[in-house]
Amino acid sequence: MPDNTDPNLNVGIAGGLTASIATDFVIDVYGTTSHVQLTKLVFGATSDATRVTSTTPLPVYFSTTGVTLNTNAKISGGGTAGSVQVVNYSTTSLKVNGSGLNDAVITQDQAGNTLLTNIYTDTQAFSTNLTSGNYKIKSIGVGPDGATSGSYVRLFDPNTDLSAGVTNGGGSNALMVQVLGAPITLTANVNPSVGIFNSATGPIFIQGSTGSPVSITGVTVESLLTTINNSGISGSTFTSRIPAIETLLTAGTAKVTIETQTLPSTLLSGVFAATTTATGMYPSGFTCTRGVNLKNDYTSTFQVFIGFTSTVSTTTGYPIDPGEDLFLEVSNLNKIFARSASGGQTLYYLAR
């Protein structure tokens, strides 16, 4: 019979010493009280013994297939994550079944709210609605910030999880769009008349880049003013500068500084025999950049009259005395007609 008064068994060890082995009292099937040794489990590979604790539990491996694990107990995760990781040993998918045939797997959040009652059915319905176009984008919020009407869709940056929107200088996050594939063709319809409105009550200020004029083409003021340059006057606008220029031009008091001139690259000179019939001096034409010099030969005995039509006469034409010269600013030599007061007179011309 074991000593029931001492829960430990004393055994002899080397050196004449003794050691105690912890036991427990158990009544066996024969009704006899016996000592049962208490042991601690360890696990690990060769030369390794890891004690089984709450933080290092004993791993269990089912070596055969078709093992059914039934439990009504609540499985709680350990550690800081508070979750239980379920991993399939093989490379096949992990199956999760309901309690019975065709029973749904119900998913709930921590508050007990049901998320999905039947994953398969709900997924099928989701796929069907996407395919048939039943799903629509639902707007979030009302209009842009501060608006009282009109809705919009809020987008989120997947990297920063911040709301994305068109930046307006107030700190909103810009929506970045990446277009893949090149080249691409974009087609846009722009109204022929595009209005530009100032958000403030003052006029719209238009300014060219540094040192560059603002060109005006295709409008009625083009013939009067082809470019408006930076005047360097603070606060100058279209409404303040154009009337001032118009007043100077109308009164004839405008002062113009000619910085450069286009010089003629070719010259045309010749002699025209003037008679009492008005005739074009050079019908084939010659384009002039400056004009034409005319000179009545000093040996001529009568005046030569100049005009711009074939009806020029001694009373309507401009007279050039013998030996006198005249300069006309014209665009082409074929615009000048000449005739003599009497007989044949010699008229020299130099077009440039």
Side-chain angles (χ1 to χ4, degrees), residues 36 47 70 151 165 185 199 227 248 254 269 306:
V36 177
S47 301
N70 296 321
S151 59
T185 301
S199 60
T227 59
L248 294 174
S269 61
I306 304 299

Side-chain angles (χ1 to χ4, degrees), residues 166-320:
V166 179
T167 178
N168 57 3
S172 297
N173 300 292
L175 175 62
M176 301 181 65
V177 179
Q178 181 181 15
V179 180
L180 301 178
I184 62 173
T185 301
L186 300 179
T187 302
N189 296 326
V190 180
N191 195 310
S193 299
V194 179
I196 301 177
F197 302 93
N198 195 0
S199 60
T201 57
I204 296 177
F205 181 73
I206 301 177
Q207 181 180 11
S209 59
T210 305
S212 300
V214 177
S215 299
I216 302 177
T217 59
V219 292
T220 55
V221 298
E222 183 178 1
S223 59
L224 175 65
L225 192 62
T226 58
T227 59
I228 296 180
N229 227 331
N230 270 335
S231 63
I233 301 176
S234 177
S236 61
T237 62
F238 282 105
T239 55
S240 63
R241 298 298 297 164
I242 291 182
I245 296 175
E246 183 180 8
T247 300
L248 294 174
L249 293 177
T250 303
T253 57
K255 297 181 180 180
V256 179
T257 300
I258 300 177
E259 295 182 352
T260 59
Q261 291 182 336
T262 302
L263 300 177
S265 58
T266 57
L267 299 174
L268 178 66
S269 61
V271 179
F272 176 75
T275 64
T276 56
T277 301
T279 308
M281 291 187 59
Y282 203 82
S284 60
F286 177 81
T287 301
C288 305
T289 57
R290 299 294 298 276
V292 179
N293 286 86
L294 300 175
K295 182 178 180 63
N296 192 356
D297 189 29
Y298 73 95
T299 62
S300 295
T301 56
F302 291 93
Q303 295 174 321
V304 176
F305 294 89
I306 304 299
F308 287 96
T309 66
S310 59
T311 60
V312 61
S313 64
T314 56
T315 57
T316 60
Y318 184 86
I320 304 178

